């Protein structure tokens, strides 16, 4: 799947988002090294903190299916600029993505800005920061 197709998948999955509170649907498409694509949309809850962003839904779906090696991600929302992942998503992404992995941020007008994981969250907290006996 090419970058453009990944972006289309992210845009289209927004239609499945559950956003009765924010009215802000977001979609994500994550391609693994094996070539599988996992889609995610944001899912809100009346107890706001337990909501989950599209990026984390896609990552968690892939991991729950045994995928742990990732190749590329696209994230889409109806924003003026290409939509940036929130801080929580960036931290989860940094746990599972290589620092040079590409993340394509876009909007429904298909304006695209691509970042590496390192650019999205430089000097991130990592498993290697934990004491050796906790890893």
């Amino acid at each position: 799947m090419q970058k453009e197709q990944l972006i289309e998948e992210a845009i289209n999955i927004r239609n499945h988002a559950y956003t009765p509170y924010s009215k802000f649907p977001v979609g994500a498409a994550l391609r693994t090294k094996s070539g599988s694509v996992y889609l995610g949309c944001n899912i809100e809850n009346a107890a706001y903190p337990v909501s989950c962003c599209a990026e984390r839904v896609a990552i968690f779906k892939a991991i729950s299916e045994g995928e742990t090696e990732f190749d590329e991600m696209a994230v889409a929302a109806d924003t003026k600029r290409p939509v940036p992942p929130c801080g929580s998503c960036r931290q989860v992404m940094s746990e599972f993505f290589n620092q040079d992995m590409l993340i394509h941020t876009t909007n429904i007008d298909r304006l695209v800005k691509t970042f590496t994981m390192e650019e999205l969250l430089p000097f991130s907290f990592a498993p290697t920061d934990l004491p050796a006996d906790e890893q």
Side-chain angles (χ1 to χ4, degrees):
M1 176 176 286
Q2 299 298 318
K3 169 181 146 181
E4 293 76 21
Q5 292 172 295
L6 202 62
I7 288 168
E8 283 303 312
E9 293 284 350
I11 290 170
N12 292 335
I13 195 64
R14 291 172 51 257
N15 294 322
H16 294 273
Y18 178 74
T19 60
Y21 310 105
S22 72
K23 309 287 192 264
F24 187 73
V26 179
L30 174 62
R31 186 177 61 232
T32 65
K33 296 276 186 190
S34 71
S36 296
V37 174
Y38 293 87
L39 304 178
C41 58
N42 52 325
I43 303 166
E44 296 178 347
N45 189 282
Y48 295 164
V50 298
S51 298
C52 196
C53 298
E55 299 93 324
R56 286 181 280 151
V57 169
I59 293 166
F60 296 160
K61 282 173 67 175
I63 291 169
S64 73
E65 295 296 322
E67 297 274 8
T68 58
E69 295 185 14
F70 304 105
D71 190 39
E72 202 167 8
M73 179 178 246
V75 183
D78 187 5
T79 50
K80 290 182 183 179
R81 65 181 181 160
V83 66
C86 75
S88 294
C89 286
R90 291 177 195 213
Q91 182 60 44
V92 169
M93 293 161 78
S94 76
E95 178 86 9
F96 298 105
F97 297 173
N98 293 329
Q99 291 298 303
D100 60 350
M101 184 171 140
L102 298 179
I103 297 99
H104 310 290
T105 62
T106 190
N107 60 14
I108 60 172
D109 295 325
R110 288 153 182 81
L111 296 174
V112 177
K113 184 158 178 62
T114 300
F115 299 92
T116 63
M117 187 62 241
E118 175 67 20
E119 291 170 324
L120 275 180
L121 190 60
F123 198 62
S124 64
F125 185 80
T128 54
D129 292 314
L130 296 172
D133 60 335
E134 292 184 25
Q135 292 181 27

